[in-house]
Amino acid sequence: MDHSELMRAAVAAQKMAYIPYSGYPVGAAVETEDGSIYTGCNIENAAYSPTACAERVAIFKAVSEGHRKIERIAIVAGDNFGYPCGVCRQVIREFIGDGEIVVGRGPEEYRVYHMEDLLPHSFGPEDLGHCDHPEVEK
């Protein structure tokens, strides 16, 4: 799947956003290492803090289906280049490794980044020296 196709999946997900408070629709699509695609949209809540960002929804859907490696994530937000928030950057960091983060306005206009571009000097599983989890590289 190329970047444009992944962006189209994110645009489709964006249309499902539940945004009665901000009016700011965000859609995301992740591609796992086996080529599976999972989408997410932002889901707001009147209490604000329980709101879920599109990026985390898409990643958590993939993880809940057994995927542990995200190859790429595409993110669209309104008419702007909507970059992931700090919490989402940390979650993306957990699962994307050196994969691509595609941020755009749609399938024809996007920019491609890597984790180091958006979250330099990040903290990840390998920083937990005491961690014996088999999926954590040391």
Side-chain angles (χ1 to χ4, degrees), residues 23-126:
Y24 187 70
V26 181
V30 298
E31 180 181 3
T32 63
E33 62 186 348
D34 72 354
S36 298
I37 303 299
Y38 294 87
T39 61
C41 62
N42 53 327
I43 304 167
E44 296 179 345
N45 186 281
Y48 294 119
S49 63
T51 293
C53 295
E55 300 91 328
R56 285 182 281 144
V57 171
I59 291 169
F60 293 163
K61 284 171 66 176
V63 170
S64 73
E65 295 296 322
H67 297 281
R68 299 294 185 262
K69 175 77 170 111
I70 304 296
E71 293 294 322
R72 290 184 293 166
I73 183 168
I75 305 158
V76 294
D79 295 328
N80 302 312
F81 284 87
Y83 291 85
C85 72
V87 171
C88 286
R89 289 177 195 214
Q90 185 62 44
V91 171
I92 292 167
R93 162 63 167 90
E94 185 81 11
F95 296 101
I96 204 162
D98 62 353
E100 296 176 328
I101 301 147
V102 185
V103 178
R105 295 181 180 158
E108 306 304 321
E109 189 176 4
Y110 56 84
R111 299 172 184 152
V112 179
Y113 299 93
H114 291 275
M115 199 70 250
E116 186 65 24
D117 299 323
L118 299 183
L119 192 62
H121 311 289
S122 65
F123 182 84
E126 67 280 357

